[in-house]
Amino acid sequence: MAKGGPTPLKSVVVVIGALAFGWAAIELAFKPWLDKARASMDKSDPAVDPDDVDVDAVAKKASDELAAVDSTAEDSAAAS
């Protein structure tokens, strides 16, 4: 084998380096979208399936929360 010729170890190092460079390039290129996706995954509850959520229950809860905010705003305005 000639000195400086390709060896299996050199090939492995080159492949690993290329994979690392490719991964870093993708991370940098898609950073805004990846950050949003990771934030969404952090906020999600794996125990709840969004397809199983009762729409009427969600609407009632939102309505109740809105009524509570409105009454708090009215109380603050009346106190002023």
Side-chain angles (χ1 to χ4, degrees):
M1 188 180 301
K3 188 173 185 178
T7 63
L9 181 60
K10 282 184 183 179
S11 297
V12 168
V13 170
V14 168
V15 168
I16 290 174
L19 289 172
F21 179 77
W23 174 78
I26 289 172
E27 284 283 330
L28 289 173
F30 296 109
K31 185 171 179 55
W33 295 283
L34 291 172
D35 287 344
K36 287 179 186 177
R38 289 177 181 140
S40 297
M41 287 188 290
D42 290 342
K43 287 190 278 185
S44 70
D45 184 6
V48 177
D49 183 4
D51 295 333
D52 293 341
V53 174
D54 185 15
V55 175
D56 292 333
V58 172
K60 176 150 178 40
K61 182 179 178 185
S63 175
D64 292 345
E65 290 174 355
L66 184 59
V69 169
D70 286 343
S71 66
T72 304
E74 289 173 0
D75 293 342
S76 297
S80 296

